[in-house]
Amino acid sequence: MADLASRITNPDDSAPAAAPAQEAGSLEAAQTDSAGELAGGSGLQDVEYDVEVSLNEIQQNADHPLGSALTFDQLGLPESVLKGLTAMGFVKPSKVQEKALPLMLADPPQNMIAQSQSGTGKTAAFVTTVLARLDLTKPHQPQALILAPSRELARQIQGVVQIIGQFCQDLVVEAAIPGVIERGQPVKGSVVCATPGTVMDLIRRRQLDVSQLKVLVIDEADNMLGQQGLGEQCARVKGMLPKSVQILLFSATFPENVLKYAAKFAPTANQIKLKVQELTVKGISQMFMDCPSESDKYDILCKLYGLLTIGSSIIFVRTRESADQIQQRMTADGHKVTALHGALEGHERDALLDEFRSGRTKVLITTNVLARGIDVSTVSMVINYDVPMKGPGEREPDPETYLHRIGRTGRFGRVGVSITFIFDEKSFRALQTISEQYEIDLIRLVPDDWDLTETEVQRVIKSSRAQAGFNPSAK
Ligand SMILES: Nc1ncnc2c1ncn2[C@@H]1O[C@H](COP(=O)(O)OP(=O)(O)OP(=O)(O)O)[C@@H](O)[C@H]1O
């Protein structure tokens, strides 16, 4: 473990630990997140922060992922949608919104493959397009289908459509996820937010009439199209839709092989792509904890508990079983933590995430089920208790999942910390591969210098009140 790669630095010589003020930014503007009222909570928590920088300032910089040269007014959106964006507290479009919206709104409709860093407003980009394309005189006729890999993400997107669409008269938005639409009941929303397996069943059973569908959005498209089961489901769903449907594919990551397939899935699509060096979010300080052995990881996690609850935190583990085990052990040791994973019933999962969004619970242990898309602005820390791995026998590092997991913090200009636990040669090498791929400078933490860990983490988390301040009434 001595010959640490050059990408890995010690805290002492790692100046950029806290996101530079102009990169980090707090939210001077009235800004909301997907944890808005319609999605189940306000998410505000009581934290004191030392520095405030304006999001407005960041957004003036047209080169920044959150910045643009244009205003929403200049993008040709319907008045009702503009009002919805204003109600969200959005002042200016982010880069992906500025670039993708005119292409997606053009007539005749064109397909789109859009890549942009985590937390930079991809959801609002496709939701705005969907809303602009609806014929609201047919509120119960499905016209847009938005697919996501998890029920949590489908529900979250449903919430965003409802908030941005709150001034669209007669807008009906339905979630087609397991356990929501009863057998025999027709799906009656003009916008349907769904997981692909459920949608496939609903179309087959003729509960979902897709004859007038105009837009198909696939969020987290690399994951949806690149995985065997999900990919087949998406292809089948597409095969059941009118040929004229506009296809919009979004993700923060598009590995080359999946991009090739995506380009076939969405023929002649316009493409917005990032270079590999642009993929990471500057506001996230990425650290790793050099644990002496696997069995030490649990104690180290417990020691971090105080830091985890400064804001809120997500702990990613490999399996459902270990999520439950760690949750039970930590609870027995007097810590307040919850665990959410795919073995739980849908309603339990919904309740757990709603509690987390509202701030009633602050530390959530989960699996990759929540790695993508989940937007809770108060998350200031992400722990990779296990380095994400993929492939047969999970032998290869999984850089995309790493990026998505850590992207649950540092949303839209906020700052955050990620700490990845390593304990042996394999986990070290895996993290090293990931850091080299994305050219990340990782900060090394060691368990026997606890003061340093605390200083380092607090320096970042308290460097901006951004992560809590999305609501003007909270100021
Ligand atoms: N133009 C804007 N101005 C201010 N805030 C915005 C703007 N666009 C989006 N946001 C906010 O930014 C946050 C992140 O947006 P969103 O969830 O769409 O990110 P994303 O790019 O889809 O991320 P991920 O890759 O993790 O899915 C949300 O809370 C959203 O409300």
Side-chain angles (χ1 to χ4, degrees):
M1 210 72 23
D3 63 330
L4 290 175
S6 58
R7 303 236 67 83
I8 295 174
T9 54
N10 284 309
D12 304 335
D13 48 51
S14 66
Q22 71 274 23
E23 294 281 4
S26 81
L27 307 181
E28 196 175 81
Q31 195 189 356
T32 189
D33 69 358
S34 310
E37 282 161 50
L38 288 164
S42 77
L44 283 180
Q45 285 156 42
D46 210 9
V47 195
E48 281 182 17
Y49 302 93
D50 304 331
V51 183
E52 271 194 55
V53 184
S54 152
L55 178 66
N56 289 345
E57 231 169 84
I58 295 173
Q59 290 204 288
Q60 297 306 328
N61 177 358
D63 294 330
H64 193 281
L66 304 182
S68 61
L70 301 179
T71 62
F72 281 115
D73 292 341
Q74 295 168 302
L75 296 176
L77 296 166
E79 200 54 40
S80 54
V81 177
L82 279 175
K83 274 173 84 176
L85 293 168
T86 306
M88 289 285 279
F90 297 179
V91 178
K92 275 193 117 195
S94 64
K95 197 168 176 178
V96 67
Q97 292 164 355
E98 179 198 44
K99 300 272 177 257
L101 275 167
L103 294 169
M104 294 193 293
L105 292 168
D107 275 316
Q110 294 165 37
N111 294 340
M112 166 63 83
I113 300 174
Q115 182 182 24
S116 169
Q117 298 87 343
S118 55
T120 53
K122 293 185 286 296
T123 316
F126 62 71
V127 165
T128 304
T129 307
V130 160
L131 290 171
R133 292 226 176 265
L134 295 181
D135 175 354
L136 291 165
T137 62
K138 301 178 187 167
H140 297 297
Q141 176 66 49
Q143 299 172 50
L145 176 61
I146 305 176
L147 297 180
S150 67
R151 70 178 288 121
E152 286 77 11
L153 189 51
R155 279 182 82 227
Q156 178 180 293
I157 295 169
Q158 180 194 23
V160 175
V161 182
Q162 284 168 329
I163 303 176
I164 300 183
Q166 62 188 287
F167 301 101
C168 301
Q169 218 175 0
D170 297 327
L171 174 69
V172 183
V173 193
E174 279 211 82
I177 53 179
V180 169
I181 296 175
E182 282 175 30
R183 234 192 152 101
Q185 288 283 6
V187 179
K188 282 190 176 158
S190 49
V191 183
V192 181
C193 304
T195 46
T198 303
V199 136
M200 219 169 62
D201 292 346
L202 290 167
I203 302 175
R204 275 200 198 126
R205 291 198 212 112
R206 300 186 188 283
Q207 286 174 258
L208 175 60
D209 169 17
V210 290
S211 62
Q212 295 186 43
L213 214 81
K214 299 185 219 174
V215 192
L216 169 68
V217 180
I218 304 190
D219 196 11
E220 310 300 342
D222 60 323
N223 177 247
M224 299 276 274
L225 299 179
Q227 272 192 41
Q228 224 174 17
L230 275 175
E232 277 159 20
Q233 287 172 347
C234 290
R236 282 203 200 154
V237 170
K238 185 190 148 192
M240 297 189 239
L241 307 184
K243 293 276 167 288
S244 58
V245 79
Q246 180 182 19
I247 302 172
L248 311 176
L249 306 180
F250 277 80
S251 184
T253 49
F254 273 106
E256 268 318 305
N257 58 338
V258 187
L259 188 62
K260 278 195 192 130
Y261 177 64
K264 286 193 189 131
F265 192 92
T268 64
N270 292 305
Q271 289 195 18
I272 295 177
K273 271 189 67 182
L274 294 176
K275 296 191 196 86
V276 78
Q277 303 84 354
E278 295 174 324
L279 284 170
T280 50
V281 174
K282 298 281 181 290
I284 307 171
S285 287
Q286 300 178 50
M287 309 181 186
F288 73 100
M289 180 66 79
D290 205 344
C291 306
S293 72
E294 182 156 32
S295 59
D296 289 299
K297 287 186 350 185
Y298 175 77
D299 289 334
I300 292 170
L301 184 65
C302 289
K303 275 182 121 178
L304 278 171
Y305 183 79
L307 293 171
L308 295 177
T309 50
I310 294 178
S312 40
S313 311
I314 303 183
I315 301 164
F316 285 103
V317 300
R318 196 172 67 82
T319 64
R320 300 164 174 187
E321 294 72 32
S322 57
D324 280 338
Q325 277 164 13
I326 296 169
Q327 189 260 339
Q328 283 155 13
R329 228 175 128 185
M330 283 185 87
T331 306
D333 286 336
H335 301 303
K336 198 163 177 251
V337 293
T338 52
L340 189 164
H341 53 68
L344 301 174
E345 292 291 332
H347 68 270
E348 289 176 280
R349 286 166 62 167
D350 296 348
L352 283 165
L353 191 59
D354 289 348
E355 277 172 19
F356 185 65
R357 283 191 191 286
S358 68
R360 274 172 284 153
T361 54
K362 294 179 86 177
V363 181
L364 185 65
I365 306 172
T366 190
T367 59
N368 282 342
V369 73
L370 291 193
R372 286 172 174 257
I374 296 304
D375 180 52
V376 180
S377 61
T378 47
V379 174
S380 50
M381 272 248 246
V382 168
I383 304 285
N384 282 317
Y385 192 82
D386 300 310
V387 180
M389 305 294 284
K390 66 178 177 186
E394 302 215 330
R395 278 196 290 266
E396 282 171 57
D398 186 346
E400 286 78 30
T401 300
Y402 174 86
L403 216 62
H404 287 275
R405 280 183 178 184
I406 67 163
R408 294 320 96 214
T409 185
R411 313 284 297 164
F412 214 88
R414 296 169 173 91
V415 294
V417 174
S418 70
I419 306 180
T420 301
F421 285 12
I422 61 161
F423 67 96
D424 64 357
E425 191 69 18
K426 183 181 166 193
S427 52
F428 170 71
R429 292 283 163 225
L431 185 60
Q432 188 177 38
T433 304
I434 294 169
S435 71
E436 282 171 2
Q437 173 160 338
Y438 297 132
E439 302 181 13
I440 307 165
D441 289 318
L442 284 164
I443 298 155
R444 178 171 183 256
L445 302 171
V446 284
D448 49 14
D449 194 345
W450 212 250
D451 287 347
L452 193 65
T453 298
E454 284 192 347
T455 315
E456 198 62 24
V457 172
Q458 290 208 18
R459 185 159 72 87
V460 180
I461 297 182
K462 292 196 167 183
S463 69
S464 168
R465 70 188 291 271
Q467 58 269 49
F470 61 81
N471 184 340
S473 59
K475 289 188 174 177

